[in-house]
Amino acid sequence: AGFSKHFAAFTLLGKDGVTYVDCALAGKDGWDVDVLRELCIALALPTQTTAVENALDTMTLHESSSKDSPAHVVVEVDILRCTYETIETHRPNGDEKFCETGGTRSSAHRCAHPLELRTRRQPSPNSTQDSGPWRTWRAVPKPEDDGKKTTEKPKHKDTRASCFAASLVKHFSLDGLKKGTGVIDVAGGSGDLSHELFYRYGIRCSIIDPRGEGVKVTSRRARLFKSRGENVSMIPETWRAVSPLATSLRDKWSTPDGKVAHIKLFFDVNLMHDPVTKNLLEEASAIVGLHPDQATGAIADCGLSMRKNWAVVPCCVFPETHPARLVPGTAKTVRTTAQLVKHLVHRAPLGAAVCETLSCDGANKAVFCVGHVFDDDDGDVEDSAENDGTGVLEGTADWPYPAPPKSAPQKGPFRLT
């Protein structure tokens, strides 16, 4: 189907009658909007178009295929040049489908991105006409970078939630983030980050913030849901049965079950006194915050003390409130966002935390820390810039325990005070 003016997807059946090849046509590959529309018509793909365009499409199909209806048009396709993309599919156990290698479909599958192909219509079985003429189609990729500096600006700050969500998936993996109770979105009262993680990636999320209304269905999001619903309706089971690409697209665009929880509490150690929130944190796949303000240090300390994946995009510093936060290697109090980023990186064991610049405007430095690298093979904490050699790290002021919990290990990345 032609899902939008920039993207179309289809599956080819090989001449051997058993091989299926998934294909995608994307604007990022160089397919112009007008060319892609004409190619969708040539391939007899259904599209989400206006009534006038539908009428024109039907006329074109009838002229090209005699009296055959679009549903019975057979198009021969010859791919001349293409690139490949690996897509992941998640099928239930026992749902084994035929794949292009003739065996059981695996979770990884290659999808072709044609850059040059030719098409022609096949006559109907009862027709005496010959096959139509070949027509060649070519994508025009954008010119490669010549090494010169460009004036291209980062994406607008309104996209920071989508940029951060994509980076979370990259660093912690989609399957990893879907484990347990999912992602804890600290100080995410606006719901932007949780919306991206839940509706785009299907990751369970819980917002902890005493303010805000959580994920609200704005007019923009309503249009997004409507568009995705229309796209899902264009993926029939007959296509999905033979196409991992169709399965992947349907899973991506389908609305996940449930909703984003919103717990209107402060993110502090008192959450460990309530069995519900305590279990939520202990079983979480990651603890994250996008411009979480005063909760920035608590995210890092909670993640370190509980050996959880954590990530934060800091913004405000609050030096008067946190005079003990020092710039690494100095006795100076952290007073800028850049200094705070360095401070957060040095809170973690050496090599556990990394800094990355998101492709958006504003405060865009993100710190990611992977929880499972805290221990070495002997079960001891790895060395870090702030490790005193005893296996205990300083910096627990943002997430202090009133007393060590019974389940606390003898050694850990943070002293439980």
Side-chain angles (χ1 to χ4, degrees):
F3 295 105
S4 73
K5 61 182 180 180
H6 300 293
F7 180 72
F10 55 94
T11 301
L12 298 176
L13 174 62
K15 288 188 175 181
D16 58 7
V18 295
T19 302
Y20 292 96
V21 179
D22 283 332
C23 300
L25 303 171
K28 64 180 181 180
D29 296 329
W31 290 104
D32 178 76
V33 172
D34 294 331
V35 174
L36 183 58
R37 180 182 178 279
E38 292 182 12
L39 182 51
C40 286
I41 295 175
L43 293 170
L45 301 181
T47 58
Q48 295 288 358
T49 57
T50 64
V52 175
E53 289 174 327
N54 276 332
L56 292 175
D57 291 352
T58 302
M59 290 171 59
T60 304
L61 288 172
H62 280 208
E63 292 173 359
S64 303
S65 56
S66 300
K67 297 181 179 180
D68 292 332
S69 65
H72 295 88
V73 171
V74 177
V75 183
E76 188 174 358
V77 180
D78 186 10
I79 299 178
L80 305 177
R81 289 188 301 116
C82 73
T83 59
Y84 288 96
E85 171 193 11
T86 300
I87 59 176
E88 298 292 332
T89 56
H90 301 275
R91 287 192 176 277
N93 293 334
D95 188 6
E96 300 177 351
K97 299 294 183 180
F98 194 87
C99 67
E100 63 181 4
T101 57
T104 301
R105 176 180 299 168
S106 61
S107 59
H109 181 84
R110 289 208 310 171
C111 171
H113 283 249
L115 301 178
E116 182 178 2
L117 71 159
R118 58 179 187 167
T119 63
R120 68 176 178 181
R121 294 291 173 86
Q122 292 283 6
S124 61
N126 299 326
S127 175
T128 58
Q129 297 180 354
D130 296 330
S131 299
W134 284 104
R135 181 175 178 181
T136 302
W137 310 81
R138 296 183 182 88
V140 183
K142 296 180 180 179
E144 296 182 358
D145 185 9
D146 56 4
K148 298 180 181 180
K149 292 184 178 179
T150 63
T151 58
E152 184 179 356
K153 295 182 179 180
K155 296 179 181 178
H156 193 267
K157 64 181 181 180
D158 288 347
T159 65
R160 61 193 177 196
S162 60
C163 293
F164 188 34
S167 293
L168 288 172
V169 173
K170 180 181 71 173
H171 284 275
F172 301 143
S173 83
L174 182 60
D175 290 337
L177 291 174
K178 288 185 175 182
K179 292 181 179 179
T181 54
V183 172
I184 305 300
D185 182 7
V186 180
S190 63
D192 293 338
L193 178 59
S194 289
H195 174 270
E196 292 291 328
L197 292 172
F198 184 70
Y199 289 105
R200 176 165 293 185
Y201 298 101
I203 299 170
R204 183 180 176 184
C205 295
S206 298
I207 297 173
I208 298 182
D209 191 338
R211 306 162 300 173
E213 300 300 327
V215 178
K216 295 185 294 184
V217 181
T218 62
S219 58
R220 181 180 179 182
R221 290 172 180 172
R223 291 194 299 271
L224 175 64
F225 296 153
K226 179 181 178 182
S227 175
R228 288 184 172 182
E230 292 173 345
N231 287 346
V232 169
S233 67
M234 298 173 69
I235 304 177
E237 286 297 327
T238 51
W239 182 18
R240 183 170 171 264
V242 298
S243 170
L245 175 60
T247 299
S248 176
L249 293 175
R250 186 165 182 170
D251 292 344
K252 176 181 178 181
W253 291 327
S254 297
T255 302
D257 296 331
K259 63 179 181 179
V260 176
H262 188 185
I263 301 172
K264 291 197 171 186
L265 296 172
F266 285 101
F267 187 76
D268 56 31
V269 74
N270 291 319
L271 296 172
M272 301 302 292
H273 298 162
D274 185 300
V276 176
T277 53
K278 181 175 183 291
N279 178 75
L280 187 69
L281 290 173
E282 290 180 339
E283 300 300 323
S285 61
I287 302 170
V288 305
L290 177 60
H291 296 185
D293 295 337
Q294 293 96 329
T296 299
I299 293 173
D301 283 5
C302 178
L304 290 168
S305 64
M306 301 182 71
R307 289 178 168 81
K308 294 290 184 182
N309 297 328
W310 61 269
V312 64
V313 182
C315 182
C316 301
V317 180
F318 305 101
E320 303 302 328
T321 307
H322 302 282
R325 290 179 180 172
L326 304 180
V327 179
T330 72
K332 298 180 179 179
T333 299
V334 170
R335 293 189 176 278
T336 66
T337 302
Q339 293 173 345
L340 180 56
V341 169
K342 292 182 180 180
H343 173 83
L344 292 172
V345 171
H346 278 70
R347 281 194 181 189
L350 186 62
V354 296
C355 177
E356 178 180 295
T357 302
L358 304 179
S359 58
C360 60
D361 287 331
N364 58 2
K365 299 292 185 181
V367 179
F368 300 87
C369 185
V370 181
H372 65 76
V373 301
F374 290 161
D375 295 338
D376 59 20
D377 294 337
D378 298 327
D380 296 328
V381 177
E382 299 176 3
D383 293 333
S384 78
E386 296 181 6
N387 195 338
D388 59 8
T390 62
V392 179
L393 297 177
E394 298 298 336
T396 59
D398 292 315
W399 189 264
Y401 278 93
K406 295 180 180 180
S407 59
Q410 294 299 318
K411 291 183 178 182
F414 266 72
R415 180 180 293 116
L416 306 178
T417 61

